[in-house]
Amino acid sequence: MTTVRTPEDWPATEEQARAVQDQLRARLILDETGPPPGTGRVTGVDVAYDDERDVVAAAAVVLDASSLDVVAEATAVGRVSFPYVPGLLAFRELPTVLAALDALPCPPGLVVCDGYGLACHLGVLTGLPTIGVAKNPFTFTYDDPDTPRGSSSPLLAGTEEVGRALRTRDAVKPVFVSVGHRVSLAGACAHTLALTPGYRLPETTRRADALCRKALRETYSA
DNA sequence: GCGACAG
DNA sequence: ATCTTGTCGC
């Protein structure tokens, strides 16, 4: 119910993919604050691969934003539709993620993605508010944030701030938060902190990661 | 030009 | 992402 999928969104070549991404960029909404952290629902999405068999499994796990309890979940399995090309991850991951989101019995609320452009791409395609939380800085640079949880520092592409390195646990490697669609960077960081009461990574991505791995396993045992 | 790089 | 054992620590 949230999917918008047209043929031109899923190009076969790198060149076409870049052209599609350039088109989608114009539809990004970056002037909204986003939903208040701790309210409504928050959904994590993730995918697991079996490159041997060319299979990809995606999961979407919906949490109550206040309690962080799981209120719904769905999975989808498909074929790998695009190679891993840094900068074009969305074309590899999103087809199956969209299928998993479609299979949910309720609206997902805010969606949390692993990685950078994924959240932007998914947000534009679905209209949903999205944010990105990555485990690595990719090609960007940053200075180490202060030790306490909640500290952050700019994530930079040259001099442009493209996100924040955000400490979610005292003295532990930060996560890398970026905006997706319809949520400010400050809002994305606030959501990330609300989703990390006990671990470095957001509960959304932890739950989605576990579920897509299980879905991939069960693809063979069932 | 080459290498590295989210997942 | 995935391949992979044990190990240190709360």
Side-chain angles (χ1 to χ4, degrees), chain A residues 39-71:
Chain A
T39 65
R41 286 188 281 246
V42 191
T43 295
V45 293
D46 197 14
V47 301
Y49 297 98
D50 179 345
D51 287 311
E52 296 280 289
R53 310 198 191 206
D54 205 46
V55 171
V56 53
V61 181
V62 185
L63 307 184
D64 177 274
S66 172
S67 65
L68 301 187
D69 289 334
V70 176
V71 299

Side-chain angles (χ1 to χ4, degrees), chain A residues 128-221:
Chain A
L128 296 167
T130 61
I131 66 173
V133 180
K135 305 174 201 63
N136 298 291
F138 194 34
T139 61
F140 308 122
T141 61
Y142 69 102
D143 290 322
D144 218 32
D146 291 334
T147 303
R149 161 179 158 85
S151 305
S152 71
S153 58
L155 185 63
L156 302 172
T159 58
E160 181 191 4
E161 182 176 33
V162 297
R164 315 266 324 167
L166 176 65
R167 192 90 71 185
T168 55
R169 301 292 292 162
D170 292 350
V172 172
K173 175 179 177 173
V175 297
F176 303 89
V177 180
S178 55
V179 297
H181 187 60
R182 300 178 52 202
V183 184
S184 67
L185 183 54
C189 289
H191 277 104
T192 301
L193 286 174
L195 291 167
T196 50
Y199 297 92
R200 177 172 85 113
L201 298 180
E203 284 305 307
T204 39
T205 79
R206 289 167 42 78
R207 296 319 249 272
D209 179 77
L211 184 57
C212 68
R213 289 183 198 235
K214 190 179 83 163
L216 188 60
R217 288 196 308 269
E218 293 178 349
T219 294
Y220 304 122
S221 61

Side-chain angles (χ1 to χ4, degrees), chain A residues 25-132:
Chain A
R25 189 166 3 250
R27 291 159 53 187
L28 259 185
I29 296 175
L30 299 175
D31 60 358
E32 290 184 16
T33 302
T39 65
R41 286 188 281 246
V42 191
T43 295
V45 293
D46 197 14
V47 301
Y49 297 98
D50 179 345
D51 287 311
E52 296 280 289
R53 310 198 191 206
D54 205 46
V55 171
V56 53
V61 181
V62 185
L63 307 184
D64 177 274
S66 172
S67 65
L68 301 187
D69 289 334
V70 176
V71 299
E73 52 183 41
T75 61
V77 177
R79 291 288 175 182
V80 175
S81 59
F82 205 84
Y84 172 64
V85 180
L88 298 176
L89 238 205
F91 299 96
R92 178 171 171 82
E93 303 215 337
L94 291 191
T96 320
V97 165
L98 287 168
L101 284 172
D102 269 352
L104 287 173
C106 64
L110 176 84
V111 179
V112 181
C113 297
D114 290 18
Y116 299 88
L118 284 175
C120 297
H121 203 127
L122 180 62
V124 168
L125 292 187
T126 61
L128 296 167
T130 61
I131 66 173

